[in-house]
Amino acid sequence: MNHAQLKEYRACLALRHCLHIGPRTWKRLCDFYGSAAEAVEDYASWREHRLVSARQYDSFVSKTWEQGQEEEHAAARIHRQCVVLSTDPRFPEALRQLPDPPLFLYYSGQISLLKNPCVAVVGSRMCSTAGVNMARRICRELSAAGITVVSGMARGIDRQAHLASVEGPGATIGVLATGLDQTFPLENSDVRRRIESRGLLLSEFAPGTEALPGNFHIRNRLVSGLSLGVVVVEAAKRSGTQITARLALDQGREVYALHGPEGTSSFEGCRHLLEDGAHEIHSASEIILDLSAQITACLEGKSPFAGRKTVMSPHQSKLPHMNMAPRDDFESEKRQPPETALASSCLAGLEQDSDEFAVASLLSARTQTHIDALSRELGWEASRTSSALLMLELDGRVHQLPGMEYVLSA
């Protein structure tokens, strides 16, 4: 890094490790100032411009970020991590436009792949032979056409997606839910070596970060965010893969799914997505044809999402959303008296020492509550709260409203 890049990187670390400041706030700061370095340099004016809350400002002034900044920078030096900053022309514009973008990414491999048109391919870790064959065929076809396949380096369909595409012209991008120095799962060590040689590995997590449950949701927003569309090859009825599909929809990406053989339970999640408006596909050519305008924009060096609004069919509009829009930090949460019957129904069957029980208990005394407010009261990182909410939502116990507000399901 040159001096300017190092200054920007350390400013990014300060924002990222500051207590009570999260992705929506640092996006607001960077959009206002143009860079993290400029924002940090003028921190004294944040309150004047109403960019942060009093609590966030006090936290930054108190240097709650200092130890984390130094530790991550030291770890990055020890592991000789390459970094692409959001101010770097190589950083994907699609990620800059997310409401909760990363400030930078650690990478290993061919950074030029970030300029390629990308399609995400995701699916079950416990995949069937049919799912494996479908994933391999579609990913080989996509890569052969010059489309870069993005996936999450997990077992099952993710692994097959990377293996089938890495040798083709489009190659593959693996997005990690750990630090770049970690390999998870270990059986994907062979895939990792091939991707580092011909593809690209990305992570926004600090070196040394292990595969914690909340990290997978954070990772998934980048898998979909990097891509023009997300293909769900195989997914059970209750599957984390469906979360990636929902993130894709809220990011304005297209969602595709394979129907799978009739009667197979491992494809029930795919069929549910199709019933709610996802596009049914059987080959890569159908995906390429549907995304032709966005692919052309990518190849011409233009943003494929510039001025584009998501157009959904009446069926597609029923897909459940995960609205990631920035929230006004000065908005106060709304409360209500507990609804005993509703609360009892929501809490029934949950382990009392579980994260889900803790979150549901808080929600039982409110009309609607933002995820940030829940995290503050629980004293948790946002990723931990998000994971609990996702599990509750998949179980039908809570319902998400626009703006990342949550209520108990009636």
Side-chain angles (χ1 to χ4, degrees):
M1 290 187 192
N2 59 33
H3 176 73
Q5 290 169 332
L6 181 59
K7 182 180 178 182
E8 177 69 13
Y9 173 63
R10 287 184 62 82
C12 289
L13 291 178
L15 292 177
R16 188 159 88 164
H17 287 282
C18 186
L19 193 63
H20 308 308
I21 288 182
R24 290 178 296 279
T25 300
W26 69 50
K27 175 178 172 61
R28 187 161 54 248
L29 289 166
C30 291
D31 284 350
F32 185 85
Y33 286 100
S35 71
E38 292 293 331
V40 167
E41 194 167 297
D42 192 42
Y43 73 89
S45 300
W46 289 358
R47 289 288 287 153
E48 176 188 344
H49 297 303
R50 293 186 58 78
L51 295 168
V52 298
S53 67
R55 189 183 191 187
Q56 290 171 323
Y57 179 78
D58 291 342
S59 181
F60 190 86
V61 172
S62 301
K63 296 188 176 181
T64 60
W65 44 268
E66 196 166 39
Q67 181 178 349
Q69 179 199 59
E70 294 302 329
E71 289 178 352
E72 183 166 346
H73 189 189
R77 287 198 303 268
I78 290 169
H79 292 282
R80 299 183 178 181
Q81 300 280 269
C82 296
V83 179
V84 59
L85 301 161
S86 63
T87 53
D88 191 312
R90 299 174 299 174
F91 193 89
E93 183 60 31
L95 293 187
R96 285 198 191 98
Q97 294 176 6
L98 296 181
D100 52 353
L103 289 163
F104 60 87
L105 294 167
Y106 295 111
Y107 73 91
S108 177
Q110 310 301 314
I111 192 68
S112 60
L113 289 176
L114 289 176
K115 294 298 182 185
N116 281 13
C118 297
V119 170
V121 178
V122 298
S124 174
R125 288 170 172 79
M126 303 296 292
C127 52
S128 65
T129 301
V132 167
N133 291 336
M134 291 176 185
R136 285 176 176 169
R137 175 173 54 79
I138 287 174
C139 291
R140 278 196 299 266
E141 293 171 354
L142 286 171
S143 184
I147 307 298
T148 298
V149 173
V150 181
S151 201
M153 284 291 289
R155 298 179 178 91
I157 295 299
D158 285 20
R159 174 183 171 85
Q160 300 305 323
H162 292 307
L163 285 173
S165 57
V166 68
E167 302 297 335
T172 187
I173 296 175
V175 187
L176 306 185
T178 65
L180 201 61
D181 62 313
Q182 307 284 307
T183 300
F184 179 85
L186 284 175
E187 57 262 39
N188 276 351
S189 297
D190 58 334
V191 182
R192 180 189 178 109
R193 288 192 294 271
R194 293 172 71 175
I195 294 177
E196 287 182 314
S197 173
R198 297 183 58 87
L200 176 66
L201 289 178
L202 297 174
S203 175
E204 65 177 310
F205 296 104
T209 303
E210 297 181 351
L212 303 173
N215 292 356
F216 294 95
H217 169 55
I218 295 171
R219 183 272 314 273
N220 289 346
R221 88 189 196 289
L222 298 188
V223 170
S224 56
L226 282 165
S227 308
L228 302 175
V230 172
V231 183
V232 182
V233 173
E234 184 173 11
K237 190 171 183 179
R238 284 191 71 245
S239 166
T241 300
Q242 293 188 72
I243 297 169
T244 307
R246 293 160 60 196
L247 282 167
L249 184 65
D250 282 328
Q251 293 167 344
R253 278 45 168 176
E254 300 295 338
V255 177
Y256 306 93
L258 281 79
H259 187 277
E262 286 291 348
T264 51
S265 60
S266 61
F267 281 85
E268 283 185 11
C270 291
R271 289 191 281 272
H272 178 72
L273 289 172
L274 292 170
E275 288 169 3
D276 282 343
H279 305 287
E280 182 174 358
I281 54 98
H282 304 88
S283 67
S285 59
E286 294 171 290
I287 301 167
I288 294 169
L289 180 63
D290 190 58
L291 294 174
S292 58
Q294 294 98 300
I295 292 170
T296 299
C298 270
L299 296 175
E300 293 176 349
K302 302 173 184 176
S303 170
F305 305 108
R308 177 171 171 263
K309 295 182 179 180
T310 305
V311 179
M312 296 183 292
S313 68
H315 290 296
Q316 192 173 8
S317 66
K318 296 191 295 182
L319 282 168
H321 285 243
M322 293 183 63
N323 195 315
M324 306 294 282
R327 170 186 178 258
D328 183 352
D329 288 325
F330 310 105
E331 180 184 343
S332 60
E333 58 267 23
K334 301 162 189 159
R335 300 173 180 269
Q336 71 167 3
E339 293 286 348
T340 307
L342 182 58
S344 297
S345 173
C346 181
L347 295 172
L350 294 175
E351 295 290 337
Q352 293 196 12
D353 60 350
S354 68
D355 286 358
E356 289 80 7
F357 187 90
V359 171
S361 297
L362 275 182
L363 283 172
S364 67
R366 300 158 182 256
T367 51
Q368 59 191 68
T369 312
H370 193 273
I371 184 174
D372 289 349
L374 291 168
S375 297
R376 284 196 298 271
E377 293 204 28
L378 291 164
W380 294 354
E381 293 290 329
S383 60
R384 182 178 176 184
T385 311
S386 177
S387 294
L389 284 166
L390 286 169
M391 293 306 298
L392 289 168
E393 194 174 1
L394 286 172
D395 271 344
R397 298 174 188 266
V398 304
H399 175 66
Q400 185 186 22
L401 302 173
M404 296 293 284
E405 301 272 352
Y406 288 85
V407 295
L408 298 185
S409 295

